[in-house]
Every structure is written in structure tokens, then in C-alpha cells.
């Protein structure tokens, strides 16, 4: 081989140098490099390819030095993290998909099944509540809930959920995930039953009792959000963690679907057994006395799936990450995961003490260090969840009003009370079956392939596109013969909400924060989302009213109309696109790699401890 110039390096000497600094094998690393190095067969000297169409240019000594230093630092960082990682956590990260993964998905997922059922089933019976308790003698239209009552019935559970997310999220980091997990489930069971048993001598008494128990039901549901996400993320391996957390959240789709199916079955059974004329024929007889049992049965059904899974929740061991990194009990963590993974795991108490006592793992939620390392992350997760839920919950809770506005559901006066419940449930079940449920499972299938960031950006973008597609030609959709097109477009917004930000906003906060703050930060992010849901559920009631005061629902002022409301929701999705840029990609990385809990002080000082946004 001929001599080389001072600014070139032979193939052999380059390989020897790589071997000395531990960079073998080189090819995979070179393939991941933004400007990969290609070796010339003629000169045996490396060159950088800037683009597929560019001509290879010789590598300068400075370029070569920077490239080698970059690879060396990355290898060194990975090696340090591997040495720092506890054996019990590494075993979880690399574990193959096993039975305990699916067990955890079902146990955590049934809580979300109940959450979705309880939160959304109320929208199926609000019109029935209006007919039963707020009928006005001689009115040409059936009774409806007054604006303040309707807002309270629809939104009070969200107020409880927001409070529960903050409280139980904080408590999950203080007491442990498992201890708090049982409390939330029992609260959901008790309050689901109590909601259906809301009795009173007057309409005001019944509704007040219902709202009281709906608030505490929401409080329990709120705790399930941070705890289920945190538990699943801490049990999962890093390769399929996104799919496992998404599968837990996907049970929400089945909860919404089951709410519609249960309502269809109950209302159909009562409708066929207790015949009644339409409201226009007989104002009083159109609502049979037995209709009062229908909404109670529907609300109480939510207690069944939660009660069934209570025993299994109590049998789950505490997560190893909480036991080791927060409770600092390496022995218990090793014992629990030895039993779960069925492999022998060594306890490493000294390593646990060394990791947890590092100054970089001592900062609190309100510290400057947290703001530096995770401030933008928390801002990203809270804002994206907030704007998403404004759009998502306003659409979900008020589907019946939108369907009535476009004429897909007949005028209320042409139906009896139970027939109206049946047709509302049928419409919402169809949307859930065709748009909502498939979207969740597309996320499960693809999230660990294309990543959280891509799915969230895509979801916000297409939600905005389809909402504009509904709003701009809105008058076209409301004319006879075009209702099916409206329903298809409307269903696609749900599909891309769930194959998009509705899933990813739940997943990402459970992956990017330190173990000692993970449940708290997820609770804060989720609470921001529920604040958006409250804005959507209260605001959309008024905003979607017709601009013509004579055409509004009884008791409501004139609003901006459904069309302009859809424009507002499209703007919310645009904001979601922008704030998504603050959220880091966590695909394929361990929880400790994302939070920086296992990194050396030297790396943190050099900026290695901060995960930058996308």
C-alpha cells in the first residue's frame, strides 16, 4: 500500500484506532452518522458523502477527529449507562414479551375501560333526564336540562377527575403505585353504584345527588390515569413499551363502545316492553314511569368491570423502579421481579444507594434543576393534552347535539323518550365502532415503529384538516342526502384523534420523567387535559347554539353555531401541532435514559442529562 498524505488515514490504521477506543463494529455506527464516511477503494482514504447525489470529498483531519470524538463520546455514554443500570431494571428493559405483560395490560386496562364507560355514558342519558325531570306542561318540545344543570351533569365528573389526577399522581410517588391503585378502584365502584341510586323528592334533589357522586366518581377515575400509565411503563420492556401503554389506553375505546351497546340493550328492552306514543301525540305518555330505571341501570353497570379486577390489582407486586429508585429497597425489587420474570436477579443495594444519593437525583419538582432538565417537557405534555381535550371531549360529549343539528337524529317531538335514547346510542356506537376503536389499535400496532412524535403530529394535522372539511362546507353537509358524508368525515376526526394525540399524550408523560416524579408529572399533564375537557364540555354547550335566538335550545343564549365551533376546534389542533415540538421522542429508549437517572455527573455537567425536545 502506498504512503498517505498528512491529511489522510489508511484503512488499516483507522480500524486499529477504532479498535483501540472500543468503536468496533464501525459499520452500524457509520450508517447512523448524519454524514456517513465512505472508504475509497482506489486511495484507501475516507471521504464524507453529503447527499446521495454529491461527489465524495476527502475527509480533513479536523472532520475525522470530530467524527471519531462524537462516536467515542456516544459509546462511552452508552457504556457508562450500561454499567450504572441496575440488573433488575435491565432485566425488565430487555425482557421478551411474556404472560405478565398481558396480565398487566388487562388489569390496568380494565380500569380505563371503566373510566371511559363512566365518563361518556352520561352523554347518552342527559336528554332522558331532561324529559323525566324538566318537562314543561303544554310545551311543543320535550323537556331538556337547563343550561346550568346540563353543564353541571356533563362537567362535574371532569372537575373530580382533574382533582384526582393531581392528588393521586402525587400520592403514587409518595406511597407507591400499588397502594394507591386499589383506593382509586374502590372509589370508582362505590360511586358508580351511588350515581345510579341518586334519589330525591324533587328534580333538583336528584340532580344534586347525582352530581355529588359523579364528582367523587371522577376523583377516583382521575387517579387511574397517572397510576395505570406509570405502572405499565415501569413493567414494560423498552422495545414494546409504547404498544403496551397504548394497549392500556385503547381499552378506553372499548369502554365508550360498551357504553353505547349497554344503552342500546337496556333502552331497547324497555322500549319494547313499555310501549309509548311520540311526544307530539301524548306529551305525558311519551315518557313512561319505568324510563327512570333506564338511566340508573346504565350508570350502575360501570361498577361491574372495576369490581371484577380489584382482586388482581391487589395481587400485583409494586413496580421494581419504584421499589429500587424511590423506596431504595433493592432486595424487595429483586425478589418481586425474580418472581415475575422467573429468572434469578441479584440484589444491588450498594448500587441503588449510589444512584439515588447522587445530587442529580435529588432535585424536586419546583427546583431550578427540574426546570432546566424537564421544564420544556412538562410544558409540552401539558399544553398538547390541554388543546387536544378541548376538541376531543367537546366532540364526544355533544355528538347527539351535532347529529340532531344535521338531521341524522329525528326531531325530539317525533319520538318517545326511550326511542330517543336508543337512536342517540345507535349513532354514538356507530362512530365508536368505525372511528374511535380502530384508531386506538392503529396506535398500538405502529407506535414503536414510527414513534410517538410522528403519530402525534400526524394526528393533530389530520384532525385539523377534517374539522375544516366539516366546517367550510357545513351548509352542504346539513342538506338532505349528505348526512352520511358528514358522519364519515366526523368519524375520521375520531380515528386520527385516537391514532394520534389522544393516545400519545397519555403515553409520553409516563416515559420521560424521573421515577420519583413520574406519577406526579403524569398527573399534572393529565390534569391540564381535563382542564381542556372542562372548557370543551362547558363552553361547547353554549358556543354550538344557533346564532338565531329563536332556534336555540330552551334556556340558552345565542351562540356562534356548530360551524364556527368547528373552526375553533380546528385552531386548537393547530396549536397542538406547534406545542408537540417541545415533546421528546422516547421510542426504543429506557426510562432511565430518558430521565437521565443513571448518567454520570460529568455527563450531566456537559449537557448529557437533558433530553432535548424534537
Amino acid at each position: 500500500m502506498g504512503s498517505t498524505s498528512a491529511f489522510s488515514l489508511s484503512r488499516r490504521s483507522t480500524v486499529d484506532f477504532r479498535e483501540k477506543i472500543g468503536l468496533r463494529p464501525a459499520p452500524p455506527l457509520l450508517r447512523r452518522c448524519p454524514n456517513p464516511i465512505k472508504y475509497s477503494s482506489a486511495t484507501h482514504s475516507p471521504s464524507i458523502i453529503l447527499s446521495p447525489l454529491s461527489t465524495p470529498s476527502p475527509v480533513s483531519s479536523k472532520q475525522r477527529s470530530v467524527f471519531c470524538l462524537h462516536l467515542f463520546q456516544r459509546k462511552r455514554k452508552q457504556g457508562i449507562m450500561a454499567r450504572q443500570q441496575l440488573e433488575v431494571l435491565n432485566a425488565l428493559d430487555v425482557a421478551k414479551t411474556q404472560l405478565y405483560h398481558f396480565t398487566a395490560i388487562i388489569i390496568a386496562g380494565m380500569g380505563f375501560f371503566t373510566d371511559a364507560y363512566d365518563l361518556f355514558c352520561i352523554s347518552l342519558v342527559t336528554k332522558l333526564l331532561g324529559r323525566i325531570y324538566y318537562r314543561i306542561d303544554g310545551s311543543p318540545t320535550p323537556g331538556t336540562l337547563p343550561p346550568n344543570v346540563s353543564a353541571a351533569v356533563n362537567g362535574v365528573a371532569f372537575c373530580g377527575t382533574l382533582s384526582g389526577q393531581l392528588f393521586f399522581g402525587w400520592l403514587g410517588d409518595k406511597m407507591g403505585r400499588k397502594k394507591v391503585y386499589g383506593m382509586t378502584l374502590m372509589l370508582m365502584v362505590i360511586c358508580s353504584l351511588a350515581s345510579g341510586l341518586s334519589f330525591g323528592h324533587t328534580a333538583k334533589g336528584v340532580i344534586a345527588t347525582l352530581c355529588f357522586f359523579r364528582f367523587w366518581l371522577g376523583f377516583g377515575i382521575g387517579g387511574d390515569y397517572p397510576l395505570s400509565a406509570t405502572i405499565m411503563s415501569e413493567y414494560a420492556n423498552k422495545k414494546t413499551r409504547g404498544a403496551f401503554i397504548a394497549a392500556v389506553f385503547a381499552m378506553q375505546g372499548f369502554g365508550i363502545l360498551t357504553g353505547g351497546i349497554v344503552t342500546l340493550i337496556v333502552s331497547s328492552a324497555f322500549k319494547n316492553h313499555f310501549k309509548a306514543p311520540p311526544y307530539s301525540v301524548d306529551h305525558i305518555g311519551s315518557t313512561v314511569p319505568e324510563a327512570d330505571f333506564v338511566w340508573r341501570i346504565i350508570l350502575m353497570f360501570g361498577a361491574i368491570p372495576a369490581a371484577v379486577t380489584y382482586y388482581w390489582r391487589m395481587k400485583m407486586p409494586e413496580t421494581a423502579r419504584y421499589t429500587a429508585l424511590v423506596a431504595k429497597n433493592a432486595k424487595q425489587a429483586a425478589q418481586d421481579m425474580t418472581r415475575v420474570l422467573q429468572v434469578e436477579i441479584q440484589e444491588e443495594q450498594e448500587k441503588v444507594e449510589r444512584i439515588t444519593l447522587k445530587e442529580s437525583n435529588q432535585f424536586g419538582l419546583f427546583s431550578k434543576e427540574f426546570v432546566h432538565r424537564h421544564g420544556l417537557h412538562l410544558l409540552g405534555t401539558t399544553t398538547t393534552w390541554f388543546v387536544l381535550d378541548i376538541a376531543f371531549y367537546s366532540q364526544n360529549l355533544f355528538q347527539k347535539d351535532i347529529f340532531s343539528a344535521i338531521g341524522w337524529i329525528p326531531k325530539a317531538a317525533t319520538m318517545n323518550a326511550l326511542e330517543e335514547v336508543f337512536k342517540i346510542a345507535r349513532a354514538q356506537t356507530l362512530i365508536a365502532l368505525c372511528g374511535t376503536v380502530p384508531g386506538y389499535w392503529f396506535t398500538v400496532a405502529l407506535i414503536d415503529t414510527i414513534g410517538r412524535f410522528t403519530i402525534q403530529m400526524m394526528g393533530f394535522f389530520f384532525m385539523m384538516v377534517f374539522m375544516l372539511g366539516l366546517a367550510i362546507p357545513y351548509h352542504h353537509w346539513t342538506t338532505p342526502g349528505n348526512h352520511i358524508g358528514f358522519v364519515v368525515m366526523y368519524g375520521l376526526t375520531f380515528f386520527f384523534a385516537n391514532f394520534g394525540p389522544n393516545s400519545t399524550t397519555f403515553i409520553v408523560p409516563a416515559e420521560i420523567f424521573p421515577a420519583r416524579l413520574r406519577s406526579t408529572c403524569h398527573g399534572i399533564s393529565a390534569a391540564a387535559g381535563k382542564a381542556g375537557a372542562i372548557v370543551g364540555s362547558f363552553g361547547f354547550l353554549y358556543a354550538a347554539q344557533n346564532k338565531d335566538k329563536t332556534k336555540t335550545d330552551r334556556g340558552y343564549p345565542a351562540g356562534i353555531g356548530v360551524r364556527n365551533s368547528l373552526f375553533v376546534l380546528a385552531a386548537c389542533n393547530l396549536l397542538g401541532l406547534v406545542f408537540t415540538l417541545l415533546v421528546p421522542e422516547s421510542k426504543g429508549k429506557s426510562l432511565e435514559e430518558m430521565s437521565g437517572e443513571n448518567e454520570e455527573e460529568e455527563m450531566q455537567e456537559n449537557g448529557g442529562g437533558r433530553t432535548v425536545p424534537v
Side-chain angles (χ1 to χ4, degrees):
M1 180 171 64
S3 61
T4 60
S5 68
F7 299 101
S8 65
L9 191 67
S10 72
R11 184 199 301 264
R12 182 65 253 167
S13 61
T14 304
V15 173
D16 289 342
F17 176 70
R18 295 183 189 284
E19 288 176 337
K20 287 179 181 178
I21 63 173
L23 290 182
R24 291 292 305 273
L29 291 171
L30 293 175
R31 283 195 296 269
R32 292 198 296 271
C33 184
N35 293 320
I37 287 185
K38 181 179 180 181
Y39 288 91
S40 170
S41 59
T43 63
H44 298 288
S45 61
S47 59
I48 289 183
I49 296 179
L50 299 177
S51 74
L53 299 178
S54 63
T55 304
S57 58
V59 176
S60 68
S61 59
K62 183 177 179 180
Q63 287 173 320
R64 184 167 55 249
S65 299
V66 170
F67 173 75
C68 292
L69 180 62
H70 167 73
L71 294 178
F72 172 73
Q73 287 178 335
R74 184 163 63 183
K75 266 293 195 184
R76 179 173 176 269
K77 179 178 177 180
Q78 291 171 348
I80 289 172
M81 289 193 67
R83 293 195 300 272
Q84 285 284 315
Q85 181 78 308
L86 293 170
E87 182 183 335
V88 64
L89 304 187
N90 190 56
L92 285 168
D93 280 342
V94 301
K96 294 181 179 179
T97 302
Q98 301 176 36
L99 179 61
Y100 83 89
H101 286 125
F102 296 106
T103 304
I105 289 171
I106 292 171
I107 293 171
M110 287 309 292
F112 258 88
F113 176 96
T114 306
D115 296 350
Y117 181 94
D118 288 331
L119 285 177
F120 292 110
C121 69
I122 192 68
S123 66
L124 299 167
V125 298
T126 49
K127 286 192 178 286
L128 178 61
L129 291 171
R131 285 192 184 235
I132 295 172
Y133 296 109
Y134 290 91
R135 178 177 58 83
I136 297 177
D137 293 332
S139 172
T141 57
T144 58
L145 295 178
N148 59 332
V149 175
S150 182
V153 169
N154 280 298
V156 71
F158 293 134
C159 297
T161 303
L162 188 154
S163 306
Q165 285 164 337
L166 293 173
F167 177 73
F168 286 115
W170 168 80
L171 202 62
D173 284 332
K174 294 299 179 183
M175 293 179 57
R177 292 50 160 138
K178 178 187 174 181
K179 290 180 181 177
V180 183
Y181 214 25
M183 299 181 196
T184 62
L185 203 65
M186 284 310 300
L187 195 56
M188 288 158 59
V189 171
I190 293 169
C191 292
S192 289
L193 294 173
S195 296
L197 297 174
S198 300
F199 293 107
H201 295 294
T202 62
K204 186 179 292 187
V206 173
I207 298 299
T209 309
L210 174 63
C211 288
F212 174 81
F213 287 118
R214 291 280 299 173
F215 175 86
W216 290 108
L217 172 64
F219 193 72
I221 290 172
D224 224 47
Y225 273 74
L227 293 171
S228 290
T230 301
I231 286 172
M232 197 65 245
S233 72
E234 293 182 344
Y235 265 114
N237 61 55
K238 64 182 180 182
K239 183 179 179 182
T240 56
R241 184 179 62 239
F244 289 158
I245 305 174
V248 170
F249 194 65
M251 295 300 288
Q252 188 179 72
F254 288 124
I256 296 171
L257 181 62
T258 303
I261 293 172
V262 169
T263 304
L264 283 173
I265 294 170
V266 174
S267 61
S268 179
F270 275 78
K271 178 167 67 79
N272 293 332
H273 195 270
F274 302 101
K275 304 291 184 180
Y279 182 85
S280 57
V281 175
D282 186 347
H283 292 185
I284 297 175
S286 64
T287 306
V288 296
E290 291 78 10
D292 194 50
F293 292 108
V294 171
W295 69 269
R296 298 178 186 277
I297 293 170
I298 293 167
L299 296 186
M300 293 171 71
F301 184 86
I304 296 174
V308 168
T309 54
Y310 179 78
Y311 170 78
W312 299 107
R313 280 200 182 188
M314 294 298 95
K315 294 285 287 183
M316 287 181 73
E318 181 58 86
T319 68
R321 284 181 162 87
Y322 180 86
T323 306
L325 299 177
V326 183
K328 304 176 185 179
N329 189 340
K331 182 179 180 180
Q332 186 63 50
Q335 288 177 350
D336 288 342
M337 292 306 104
T338 295
R339 189 167 63 253
V340 169
L341 297 174
Q342 297 181 344
V343 294
E344 190 63 35
I345 297 176
Q346 181 183 356
E347 61 179 88
E348 301 169 294
Q349 189 62 41
E350 290 184 6
K351 188 181 283 189
V352 166
E353 296 292 341
R354 187 167 65 250
I355 292 172
T356 56
L357 291 177
K358 286 192 301 185
E359 185 179 347
S360 60
N361 285 337
Q362 299 294 317
F363 62 85
L365 180 64
F366 300 105
S367 64
K368 289 183 179 178
E369 183 67 14
F370 178 86
V371 173
H372 170 69
R373 292 165 67 92
H374 298 292
L376 287 178
H377 299 165
L378 190 59
L379 177 62
T381 57
T382 51
T383 50
T384 52
W385 209 334
F386 175 79
V387 295
L388 163 76
D389 276 9
I390 292 176
F392 183 73
Y393 279 90
S394 60
Q395 280 186 291
N396 243 318
L397 286 174
F398 303 106
Q399 287 181 51
K400 60 186 183 301
D401 301 304
I402 293 173
F403 292 152
S404 297
I406 66 166
W408 201 37
I409 296 177
K411 298 291 185 183
T414 64
M415 301 179 285
N416 62 47
L418 296 176
E419 186 180 3
E420 185 177 35
V421 173
F422 179 85
K423 290 190 174 179
I424 290 170
R426 185 180 62 183
Q428 295 196 199
T429 301
L430 184 62
I431 289 291
L433 190 62
C434 298
T436 305
V437 173
Y440 285 111
W441 292 99
F442 266 75
T443 301
V444 173
L446 297 174
I447 190 166
D448 288 311
T449 303
I450 63 178
R452 288 79 163 142
F453 177 80
T454 303
I455 289 177
Q456 186 159 311
M457 290 289 282
M458 177 190 66
F460 272 127
F461 174 76
F462 281 110
M463 285 176 70
M464 179 180 67
V465 167
F466 285 116
M467 284 184 183
L468 290 175
L470 291 172
I472 294 171
Y474 180 74
H475 298 298
H476 166 77
W477 297 121
T478 56
T479 56
N482 297 321
H483 300 156
I484 299 300
F486 182 95
V487 172
V488 170
M489 295 277 284
Y490 191 67
L492 284 170
T493 64
F494 281 105
F495 175 81
F496 282 105
N498 296 311
F499 181 37
N502 193 41
S503 296
T504 53
T505 52
F506 175 79
I507 295 166
V508 173
E511 299 181 308
I512 63 177
F513 298 108
R516 65 187 182 281
L517 300 172
R518 186 168 292 135
S519 180
T520 301
C521 290
H522 194 286
I524 292 170
S525 303
K530 282 300 167 285
I534 292 169
V535 171
S537 61
F538 284 95
F540 198 85
L541 267 173
Y542 293 87
Q545 294 297 317
N546 199 294
K547 295 179 183 179
D548 185 350
K549 181 68 173 69
T550 61
K551 297 180 180 179
T552 62
D553 292 339
R554 186 186 298 120
Y556 285 89
I560 61 175
V562 174
R563 181 173 185 263
N564 290 330
S565 297
L566 289 170
F567 278 121
V568 173
L569 299 184
C572 290
N573 293 318
L574 179 60
L575 289 175
L577 270 173
V578 175
F579 285 115
T580 297
L581 297 174
L582 299 176
V583 180
E585 178 58 74
S586 51
K587 181 184 74 171
K589 298 179 182 178
S590 72
L591 298 179
E592 288 68 42
E593 187 177 353
M594 290 303 301
S595 63
E597 289 169 281
N598 283 356
E599 292 182 355
E600 291 280 17
E601 301 294 336
E602 176 189 346
M603 288 197 168
Q604 291 159 0
E605 290 170 6
N606 292 332
R610 184 174 179 275
T611 307
V612 296
V614 174

